[in-house]
């Protein structure tokens, strides 16, 4: 009987750190990235203490990071039965959920920009034209994100990613 394949923990650690740094370079909080990729690289949900131990950091550092990540639905918090502790895992289709379905910010930008266009008398002034162009850009981005989500769902189904319970 064979068990799970042997993991090279040093290589896993390097993956976690490299991905966290890559995300940090585009503005993602580095500790949140470290926590995210630690959880992603685990085969089972982890408690905050387990995450902290794997990263060699304090529980307080992990606490702030998991709060940030759960806010964006990139991590899911689940209570540990009979304990006050929680375990953290990535939800199914996490990247889609965090990127495609959480785009209310574009609707907010569009709504606020509409008010700005009205306040600036439409496209009849240079300022009104700039705000209208910004609004139109965010409308375009929202439409493209919606279309991208449809294409991703089709591709995900075609490649079998949606078949796994822990996807």
């Amino acid at each position: 009987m064979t068990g799970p394949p042997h993991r090279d923990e040093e290589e896993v650690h390097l993956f976690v750190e490299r991905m966290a740094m890559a995300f940090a370079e585009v503005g993602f909080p580095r500790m949140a990235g470290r926590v995210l990729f630690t959880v992603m690289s685990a085969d089972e949900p982890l408690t905050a203490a387990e995450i902290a131990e794997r990263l060699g950091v304090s529980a307080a550092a992990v606490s702030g990071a998991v709060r940030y990540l759960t806010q964006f639905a990139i991590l899911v918090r689940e209570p540990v039965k009979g304990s006050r502790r929680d375990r953290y895992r990535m939800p199914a289709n996490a990247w889609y959920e965090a990127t495609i379905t959480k785009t209310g910010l574009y609707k907010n930008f569009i709504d606020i920009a509409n008010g700005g266009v009205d306040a600036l008398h439409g496209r009849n002034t240079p300022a009104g034209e700039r705000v209208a162009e910004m609004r139109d850009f965010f409308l375009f981005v929202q439409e493209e994100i919606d279309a991208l989500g449809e294409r991703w769902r089709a591709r995900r189904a075609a490649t079998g990613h949606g078949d796994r319970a822990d996807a």
Side-chain angles (χ1 to χ4, degrees):
M1 182 172 185
T2 62
H6 173 72
R7 291 168 47 123
D8 182 334
E9 292 301 328
E10 183 60 28
E11 286 298 317
V12 172
H13 174 74
L14 288 173
F15 160 74
V16 167
E17 295 300 330
R18 287 178 183 149
M19 285 301 293
M21 286 185 75
F23 269 54
E25 288 173 6
V26 295
F28 201 82
R30 184 156 180 216
M31 183 54 69
R34 294 178 75 204
V35 168
L36 172 63
F37 294 108
T38 296
V39 173
M40 177 185 265
S41 64
D43 289 332
E44 67 287 329
L46 300 173
T47 65
E50 291 167 333
I51 296 167
E53 182 181 332
R54 288 182 185 207
L55 291 173
V57 299
S58 71
V62 170
S63 175
V66 295
R67 192 169 31 258
Y68 178 85
L69 294 165
T70 56
Q71 199 174 9
F72 291 102
I74 299 173
L75 284 188
V76 174
R77 182 176 68 193
E78 300 172 330
V80 175
K81 187 176 180 177
S83 170
R84 292 179 42 202
R85 296 181 309 160
D86 295 315
R87 291 196 187 280
Y88 298 92
R89 66 171 178 81
M90 290 188 72
N93 209 4
W95 300 108
Y96 170 83
E97 292 298 325
T99 305
I100 305 296
T101 65
K102 304 296 182 198
T103 57
L105 74 115
Y106 292 113
K107 182 177 180 345
N108 191 37
F109 291 164
I110 293 162
D111 291 346
I112 294 168
N114 275 330
V117 170
D118 291 345
L120 296 165
H121 304 291
R123 296 186 150 188
N124 298 325
T125 65
E129 174 58 29
R130 283 191 300 272
V131 174
E133 183 177 14
M134 177 186 68
R135 177 207 53 212
D136 293 349
F137 173 76
F138 286 128
L139 280 165
F140 171 78
V141 169
Q142 183 63 61
E143 290 165 359
E144 290 297 305
I145 286 174
D146 293 344
L148 185 64
E150 290 297 322
R151 291 194 311 271
W152 169 248
R153 282 190 294 277
R155 183 175 184 163
R156 185 172 188 258
T159 58
H161 287 299
D163 296 339
R164 291 189 8 222
D166 68 342

